[in-house]
Amino acid sequence: MSIEVIADGVVRDENPHWVYYINAERVNELDPKRCGKWMYMAADLERAEDLVREAVVTGAVIEAKRSTAAHMALSRSGTGVCCFYLNGDDAEAHHRAIEFLLRHNLVRRTKAGRLYNVSFKFNEQTRAGEYGDNFHAKICLADFVDLDTGEFIS
């Protein structure tokens, strides 16, 4: 593990599987029972690094992480993931995070140009082993954004 301060109040922490960026001054705002993440599947480690760093440094989220090369090597698809953390009941935090995801084109679009209705996943769902068909989203992009226009719903 290696921890380094990279910006005012933001630290970078790395272990064999994950690289974390954490706003150390605000991390206690994340409640383990309410916290979850928006995810982006990433094959490009440099871009993933830039994304998670920027998301925390700019305040889009309090904490973000990305897979390491070693973690990606264990993946069947050879890809990794970026996770952008916030409390699931914080509408303003969702707005900031989704705005970041959309601005960086991190939500795929269908052939018709519609945004995929990606899901927010609570950490408790991850701990409970909810993956694939066993995962049932409680919050989706369509709760916040018109999938056809990409505009936020009032």
Side-chain angles (χ1 to χ4, degrees):
M1 277 205 170
S2 63
I3 298 176
E4 65 178 297
V5 177
I6 57 113
D8 287 339
V10 177
V11 296
R12 181 183 189 276
D13 188 7
E14 185 171 349
N15 67 41
H17 298 284
W18 300 105
V19 174
Y20 294 86
Y21 281 87
I22 303 164
N23 182 324
E25 296 172 357
R26 296 189 57 214
V27 71
N28 290 333
E29 294 174 28
L30 294 176
D31 181 335
K33 295 193 182 299
R34 300 177 7 231
C35 186
K37 63 258 182 204
W38 291 101
M39 295 179 280
Y40 166 70
M41 303 311 290
D44 181 342
L45 279 178
E46 283 184 44
R47 181 163 191 240
E49 178 76 10
D50 291 343
L51 289 167
V52 295
R53 177 187 174 116
E54 181 182 340
V56 177
V57 169
T58 63
V61 294
I62 294 172
E63 180 177 334
K65 73 179 181 183
R66 68 155 175 92
S67 303
T68 62
H71 189 250
M72 288 172 66
L74 298 173
S75 165
R76 282 185 226 155
S77 64
T79 60
V81 64
C82 296
C83 299
F84 303 93
Y85 292 94
L86 57 128
N87 290 323
D89 60 353
D90 186 338
E92 289 179 22
H94 280 291
H95 187 94
R96 285 191 307 272
I98 292 167
E99 191 173 64
F100 179 88
L101 296 172
L102 295 176
R103 187 172 60 249
H104 289 85
N105 297 314
L106 303 184
V107 179
R108 292 183 329 143
R109 292 186 177 266
T110 65
K111 289 180 183 178
R114 187 169 207 235
L115 292 165
Y116 277 95
N117 193 21
V118 296
S119 302
F120 178 84
K121 188 173 187 181
F122 285 93
N123 291 346
E124 286 189 340
Q125 292 177 291
T126 301
R127 286 190 291 273
E130 292 183 28
Y131 293 94
D133 291 339
N134 293 326
F135 171 70
H136 300 287
K138 297 174 183 173
I139 299 173
C140 295
L141 186 62
D143 295 328
F144 302 96
V145 173
D146 180 309
L147 302 177
D148 291 314
T149 66
E151 299 292 320
F152 278 89
I153 300 168
S154 300

